[in-house]
């Protein structure tokens, strides 16, 4: 008896099958949460590199410690303004890249 060949799937195929195709509400929410998770980890890492507590960073930004905690754990959706203030307080550069059809826009 021949061994049964196992089919492998790409990450995109798995997300399409179990989360939803690109453009569906479920997939959009998943991708947004994933980006917020990565952003939260970057904020935490930068804060720790600067040897700041969440409370100290909150004071620099003008928000409560709990807001910083929520940003780092991705439990809330922060405004771009708040995120910009956090990275400014961390003395970190932010680069936004946007592609609109054939145009590439970059905000530094």
């Amino acid at each position: 008896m021949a061994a049964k060949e196992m089919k492998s799937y790409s990450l995109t195929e798995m997300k399409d099958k179990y989360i939803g195709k690109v453009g569906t509400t479920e997939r959009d929410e998943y991708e947004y949460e994933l980006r917020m998770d990565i952003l939260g980890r970057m904020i935490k890492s930068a804060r720790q590199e600067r040897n700041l507590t969440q409370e100290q960073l909150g004071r620099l930004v003008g928000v409560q410690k709990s807001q910083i905690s929520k940003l780092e754990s991705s439990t809330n959706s922060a405004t771009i303004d708040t995120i910009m203030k956090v990275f400014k307080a961390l003395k970190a550069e932010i680069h936004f890249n946007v592609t609109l059809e054939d145009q590439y826009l970059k905000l530094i």
Side-chain angles (χ1 to χ4, degrees):
M1 217 165 149
K4 189 174 180 179
E5 196 171 311
M6 209 167 166
K7 169 132 174 74
S8 59
Y9 296 93
S10 70
L11 179 59
T12 300
E13 289 172 321
M14 295 299 288
K15 289 193 282 186
D16 286 350
K17 182 175 181 179
Y18 293 104
I19 298 167
K21 299 237 182 240
V22 173
T24 62
T25 302
E26 293 83 6
R27 182 67 169 267
D28 288 347
E29 287 174 1
Y30 168 81
E31 298 293 344
Y32 175 78
E33 287 173 15
L34 182 61
R35 286 187 298 270
M36 289 303 294
D37 181 56
I38 292 168
L39 186 63
R41 282 192 250 155
M42 287 191 298
I43 290 170
K44 183 176 184 175
S45 177
R47 176 182 60 77
Q48 289 174 332
E49 283 183 32
R50 301 287 190 262
N51 294 315
L52 293 171
T53 65
Q54 289 178 338
E55 188 173 340
Q56 290 168 325
L57 178 57
R59 269 185 268 150
L60 288 172
V61 176
V63 298
Q64 297 291 318
K65 173 191 177 282
S66 61
Q67 175 92 18
I68 301 300
S69 176
K70 288 176 183 177
L71 278 173
E72 290 182 357
S73 63
S74 308
T75 57
N76 76 339
S77 49
T79 65
I80 292 292
D81 187 50
T82 301
I83 293 167
M84 298 287 282
K85 286 179 183 177
V86 168
F87 280 114
K88 185 176 181 180
L90 291 168
K91 295 179 174 65
E93 286 186 29
I94 303 173
H95 301 271
F96 288 99
N97 297 316
V98 178
T99 304
L100 298 172
E101 294 181 21
D102 295 331
Q103 293 180 318
Y104 180 73
L105 308 173
K106 191 172 185 177
L107 173 65
I108 297 177

